[in-house]
Amino acid sequence: MTQLAVSSRVVRTALSARLAAQGLYPGQDALLLMLGEEDGLALRDLALRLAVRPPTITKTIARLAAQGFVEKRASASDARQSFVHLTAEGRALVEEVRLAQHETERQAMRGLKGKDRKALRKLLAKVERNFAPDTASAHDDGASDEA
């Protein structure tokens, strides 16, 4: 697992460098991509989906709004609730984020054959599933295997 953590950090650092060229801070990409999939989400929903605390979302939204990538709109039915929407610049940036992710993944997978890439994705998905809440109580099926 140590190697997985190191590899993950190296890839995230490379992606962060690409995103910094677009004026983005780490973590803003996930929020932009989420809004790219479903625009107009409530701050509370964004915090839940991204598994971060509400103050973190508030700060991230404020930064993105100051950059002109998102805007907050009050709910028509509940003045206590706000929704976050991408601006035209934000929608264009979503494509840049996707491109940066694609380029970073391509760099990370360089030198791996197609079947190895597929196997790696499959294995990483299994590792991720092992931490899903519904599998937390599942039986141990090889945790003692060497990494």
Side-chain angles (χ1 to χ4, degrees):
M1 290 289 96
T2 300
Q3 185 60 53
L4 177 61
V6 169
S7 297
S8 176
R9 192 175 7 213
V10 168
V11 170
R12 184 64 196 173
T13 298
L15 178 59
S16 292
R18 284 189 169 97
L19 295 173
Q22 303 296 326
L24 293 176
Y25 293 94
Q28 290 179 326
D29 55 323
L31 190 143
L32 288 167
L33 290 172
M34 187 166 292
L35 290 173
E37 294 296 319
E38 186 177 348
D39 202 15
L41 292 169
L43 274 73
R44 175 179 32 101
D45 293 335
L46 284 166
L48 286 171
R49 291 181 187 193
L50 293 171
V52 298
R53 295 168 29 105
T56 302
I57 283 297
T58 301
K59 183 177 178 181
T60 301
I61 295 300
R63 278 185 172 167
L64 290 169
Q67 293 171 283
F69 299 133
V70 300
E71 60 184 12
K72 280 176 38 176
R73 298 182 197 157
S75 169
S77 60
D78 184 353
R80 297 170 297 171
Q81 193 170 29
S82 294
F83 295 92
V84 182
H85 295 267
L86 290 169
T87 63
E89 293 84 4
R91 277 189 289 283
L93 187 58
V94 167
E95 292 310 312
E96 294 295 323
V97 169
R98 287 182 181 137
L99 180 61
Q101 285 182 328
H102 177 73
E103 290 171 355
T104 303
E105 182 174 340
R106 201 170 76 204
Q107 181 181 358
M109 298 291 192
R110 191 172 35 223
L112 296 179
K113 295 179 182 175
K115 67 179 183 173
D116 293 334
R117 291 174 188 209
K118 185 176 180 179
L120 178 59
R121 284 185 183 102
K122 192 173 184 178
L123 289 168
L124 290 173
K126 185 172 184 174
V127 169
E128 184 180 341
R129 282 192 306 273
N130 287 339
F131 288 94
D134 62 334
T135 61
S137 62
H139 73 288
D140 181 350
D141 66 346
S144 63
D145 292 348
E146 292 290 320

